[in-house]
Amino acid sequence: MANKIVLVDTSILIDFFRKTNKENSKLISLVRQDYTFYISAITEYEIYSGSTPGQINFWNNLLEKIQVLPFDQTVVKTSVEINANLRRKRKQIDIADLFIAATAITNELPIVTLNINHFERIDGLSIIE
């Protein structure tokens, strides 16, 4: 069976980091369900910018195994379109979440997140729970 590919939001990685029993994390659940996961360059930024020096080795070891999708011109254009739509509805979201969602849509990937409230506002974004 071919792997299913998803974009993993920052919240999934933070959940994995914080759990004492990693087996109970959503990330491990995805692995068990035969998912392959990617992250956005924005998630990589969020992880490293929020890390303490003592956490860097943990993140380096984890992130070296995960493909990072770029924040490029196509993602920028998608972000602008999504934001304009959300602004019309008066339902804008945090800029990092906007960029992560645009990465998923641009790469035609569903997203896995613990922050469903923000991401469910975005038309055309498939969310896996």
Side-chain angles (χ1 to χ4, degrees), residues 90-117:
R90 296 182 184 197
K91 293 189 179 238
Q92 287 179 279
I93 61 174
D94 295 335
I95 194 85
D97 289 345
L98 173 70
F99 292 162
I100 291 167
T103 302
I105 290 172
T106 299
N107 289 280
E108 299 178 354
L109 294 173
I111 193 167
V112 179
T113 182
L114 299 177
N115 188 5
I116 293 172
N117 183 41

Side-chain angles (χ1 to χ4, degrees), residues 11-65:
S11 64
I12 299 295
L13 297 181
I14 298 296
D15 174 66
F16 178 74
F17 174 76
R18 289 182 178 164
K19 288 223 187 284
T20 303
N21 183 353
K22 306 289 188 210
E23 297 296 313
N24 291 332
S25 70
K26 183 70 174 176
L27 192 66
I28 296 301
S29 174
L30 292 170
V31 171
R32 287 188 184 130
Q33 294 175 62
D34 198 31
Y35 279 100
T36 296
F37 38 90
Y38 297 161
I39 62 170
S40 165
I42 303 306
T43 292
E44 184 178 35
Y45 166 78
E46 286 186 307
I47 291 296
Y48 282 121
S49 68
S51 295
T52 65
Q55 297 169 347
I56 294 298
N57 283 339
F58 174 87
W59 291 117
N60 285 342
N61 290 333
L62 180 63
L63 296 181
E64 75 183 10
K65 300 172 185 120

Side-chain angles (χ1 to χ4, degrees), residues 47-94:
I47 291 296
Y48 282 121
S49 68
S51 295
T52 65
Q55 297 169 347
I56 294 298
N57 283 339
F58 174 87
W59 291 117
N60 285 342
N61 290 333
L62 180 63
L63 296 181
E64 75 183 10
K65 300 172 185 120
I66 301 173
Q67 183 173 340
V68 179
L69 300 176
F71 184 74
D72 59 17
Q73 288 179 320
T74 306
V75 177
V76 168
K77 289 177 184 175
T78 303
S79 299
V80 170
E81 292 168 10
I82 294 168
N83 193 52
N85 189 33
L86 292 173
R87 187 180 312 125
R88 277 191 298 277
K89 296 177 185 179
R90 296 182 184 197
K91 293 189 179 238
Q92 287 179 279
I93 61 174
D94 295 335

